[in-house]
Amino acid sequence: MRVFVTGASGWIGSAVVPELLEAGHEVVGLARSDASAAALRAAGAEAHRGDIDDLDSLRAGAEPADAVVHLAFKHDFSDSAGAGRTERAAIETFGDVLAGSDRPLLFASGVAIAGDGTLLTEDAPSPFTGADAPRGGGEHLALGFADRGIRSVALRFAPTVHGEGDHGFMAVLAGVAREKGVAAYVGDGSNRWPAVHQRDAAKLVALALEKAPAGSRMHAVAEEGVAARDIAGAIGAGLGLPVVSVAPEKASEHFGWIGGFFSLDVPASSRITRELLGWTPTHPTLFEDLRAGSYFR
């Protein structure tokens, strides 16, 4: 297949592109800079210039494609509403292009939904609907495209997609620990975060492109939930810092924007995904990556 990938040079996308190429697909990646375009070409993919704010560029990339894998997202926590509007507009654009074709539309979503300790399964729909919801209610919108002749599939990634070179949540938490001089967790630290290695997540995307049915939700989750106090302990050990508890009402003050996320208890299962796709994570666990030291260099 000719696969149009947004976010192709990003953290997850840069691992997805070689997985798709190895599976025999032709990959066209959205590139918003010369550096991104060069990286895509070096990986063996074709570069399509544009960005997710440019709906014409998204339309032009999707029209000749046999499938769309939408991984790009504006991670701007200072304007979450604006990021949500951008996401919704992008998904609406892909829906208009792919309608009636039975072509796949795989799109990034997340498992950090409930936050109350309920184990999230693939059967659970997203509670976020409408343009003003988180991520623009994109998952609910896109899965509805199954009724429009589109094989839409939600790729629900764990909040921690880790590995060498990661600049996401784990790197931010390590940075906060360096700045504050302590590795902290919130409350008693029993709240849990799911995790998956970057390359395991990429393999799941390639398998979902081949096997996931229309309207399905796939969970890129290797570890159902790692306790926050254990994460803080590993960061403290890696940086040689004491490990402390921060009161819930002080989480935002201590951690900044990530405090609200690191307070959530969001365990998630991937049993259905593993059975349906034949997906078995094989790469390092979160603690193995933390012990390897790349987050502390």
Side-chain angles (χ1 to χ4, degrees), residues 94-95 97-105 142-152 214:
F94 292 137
V97 171
L98 301 176
S101 67
D102 291 322
R103 285 180 283 176
L105 169 60
L143 290 184
F145 292 166
D147 296 330
R148 296 175 58 191
I150 300 171
R151 183 159 68 87
S152 52

Side-chain angles (χ1 to χ4, degrees), residues 1-215:
M1 287 190 283
R2 179 180 175 89
V3 186
F4 178 51
V5 182
T6 72
S9 58
W11 171 239
I12 297 174
S14 62
V16 168
V17 168
E19 283 286 347
L20 295 177
L21 291 169
E22 185 177 341
H25 300 296
E26 176 185 354
V27 178
V28 181
L30 184 68
R32 61 180 178 176
S33 69
D34 291 340
S36 293
L40 285 168
R41 295 189 187 103
E46 179 182 334
H48 173 79
R49 292 304 296 267
D51 60 54
I52 57 171
D53 286 307
D54 183 353
L55 300 182
D56 287 337
S57 72
L58 299 185
R59 192 174 294 108
E63 283 175 345
D66 299 308
V68 173
V69 177
H70 175 45
L71 302 175
F73 185 75
K74 279 188 168 182
H75 294 283
D76 182 359
F77 295 101
S78 68
D79 185 14
S80 296
R85 288 191 296 271
T86 297
E87 176 70 355
R88 192 172 185 88
I91 288 177
E92 287 173 339
T93 298
F94 292 137
D96 290 342
V97 171
L98 301 176
S101 67
D102 291 322
R103 285 180 283 176
L105 169 60
L106 278 61
F107 60 94
S109 185
V111 298
I113 291 176
D116 60 358
T118 302
L119 182 69
L120 185 74
T121 70
E122 295 90 336
D123 291 331
S126 171
F128 304 134
T129 63
D132 296 328
R135 297 185 74 101
E139 178 178 312
H140 185 266
L141 172 66
L143 290 184
F145 292 166
D147 296 330
R148 296 175 58 191
I150 300 171
R151 183 159 68 87
S152 52
V153 178
L155 303 168
R156 286 178 168 176
F157 293 103
T160 293
V161 181
H162 55 89
E164 180 80 30
D166 172 25
H167 296 291
F169 282 177
M170 285 300 107
V172 172
L173 289 171
V176 171
R178 285 193 191 92
E179 177 188 349
K180 301 292 185 177
V182 294
Y185 54 87
V186 179
D188 66 3
S190 63
N191 60 298
R192 295 153 293 177
W193 267 21
V196 65
H197 192 278
Q198 176 207 31
R199 291 177 62 187
D200 285 323
K203 182 64 176 180
L204 179 142
V205 175
L207 289 171
L209 180 62
E210 297 174 4
K211 301 180 180 181

Side-chain angles (χ1 to χ4, degrees), residues 194-271:
V196 65
H197 192 278
Q198 176 207 31
R199 291 177 62 187
D200 285 323
K203 182 64 176 180
L204 179 142
V205 175
L207 289 171
L209 180 62
E210 297 174 4
K211 301 180 180 181
S216 60
R217 309 172 189 91
M218 299 290 98
H219 282 192
V221 172
E223 297 174 88
E224 287 190 355
V226 183
R229 62 172 171 261
D230 293 334
I231 293 172
I235 291 173
L239 293 173
L241 296 174
V243 180
V244 303
S245 169
V246 170
E249 63 271 18
K250 297 287 187 179
S252 293
E253 178 183 336
H254 181 88
F255 291 102
W257 63 266
I258 201 173
F261 292 100
F262 198 43
S263 303
L264 295 176
D265 188 20
V266 287
S269 168
S270 60
R271 180 185 61 81

